Amino acid sequence: KQLASGLLYLQKEKKIAHRDIKPENVIIFKNNIYKLADFGEAKETTNSDKLNTLRGTDTYMSPILYRGLQMGQEDVIHDLYKSDVFSLGYSILYAASLTHEIINEIRELDNMDDIRRILFKRMRPRYSEKFINIILKMINPEETKRLDFIELNKLLN
């Protein structure tokens, strides 16, 4: 919730997308204060939330960026903030399981029913249905159906 709130501030107030959200870029301070680090790939948006540069760490890239990387494309038009939400969702999946197994299992899937089935099978014994459903909304392969940070923060609050 803290990371989503910070990223909402960056989206709404500063018009900045991080573009390389991953567990290694999350710092946990005393009293469970979470902060995002390494803004080396961050980009200020000007007239549009869409950009065509391909940046980030492949494991946590949104599907449109990941496919572009696999096809050797330099430019992929995508929604910066929704790509960041996706990366945060995958980072949370990793943190929840401490393994890339779930990410590797769902990486190539486009069907939300299949993704939902796998996440519930793997995560339900340990996590709530509400938590899993929030993650599903963050990692929807279809960019237009994925949350941005404004929508994510409304859902979390």
Side-chain angles (χ1 to χ4, degrees), residues 82-101:
K82 290 185 177 196
S83 289
D84 274 357
V85 168
F86 184 92
S87 298
L88 182 59
Y90 263 29
S91 295
I92 293 169
L93 274 178
Y94 175 79
S97 63
L98 296 177
T99 178
H100 288 106
E101 285 180 28

Side-chain angles (χ1 to χ4, degrees), residues 94-135:
Y94 175 79
S97 63
L98 296 177
T99 178
H100 288 106
E101 285 180 28
I102 295 174
I103 293 170
N104 292 337
E105 192 171 349
I106 64 174
R107 171 46 90 186
E108 302 290 334
L109 300 178
D110 288 326
N111 183 311
M112 274 307 291
D113 290 334
D114 292 339
I115 295 169
R116 180 182 320 281
R117 182 183 44 75
I118 290 166
L119 258 58
F120 269 91
K121 177 182 172 193
R122 302 282 226 106
M123 298 181 74
R124 187 60 178 118
R126 198 163 173 204
Y127 297 100
S128 71
E129 184 173 331
K130 185 176 182 179
F131 176 76
I132 297 167
N133 281 324
I134 290 170
I135 298 299

Side-chain angles (χ1 to χ4, degrees), residues 47-62:
N47 299 330
S48 170
D49 294 347
K50 298 220 180 257
L51 199 67
N52 63 349
T53 53
L54 199 152
R55 295 286 186 275
T57 302
D58 60 348
T59 302
Y60 303 97
M61 280 181 175
S62 66

Side-chain angles (χ1 to χ4, degrees), residues 39-87:
F39 282 77
E41 295 294 341
K43 180 75 173 171
E44 184 178 7
T45 60
T46 49
N47 299 330
S48 170
D49 294 347
K50 298 220 180 257
L51 199 67
N52 63 349
T53 53
L54 199 152
R55 295 286 186 275
T57 302
D58 60 348
T59 302
Y60 303 97
M61 280 181 175
S62 66
I64 192 167
L65 292 174
Y66 185 75
R67 281 192 291 275
L69 180 69
Q70 299 295 3
M71 294 170 52
Q73 296 175 322
E74 295 278 329
D75 300 325
V76 177
I77 296 173
H78 67 286
D79 184 303
L80 292 167
Y81 302 113
K82 290 185 177 196
S83 289
D84 274 357
V85 168
F86 184 92
S87 298

Side-chain angles (χ1 to χ4, degrees), residues 24-36:
E24 295 91 331
N25 287 341
V26 175
I27 301 171
I28 305 171
F29 292 90
K30 291 179 184 176
N31 301 325
N32 290 320
I33 304 294
Y34 290 73
K35 296 195 179 199
L36 203 53

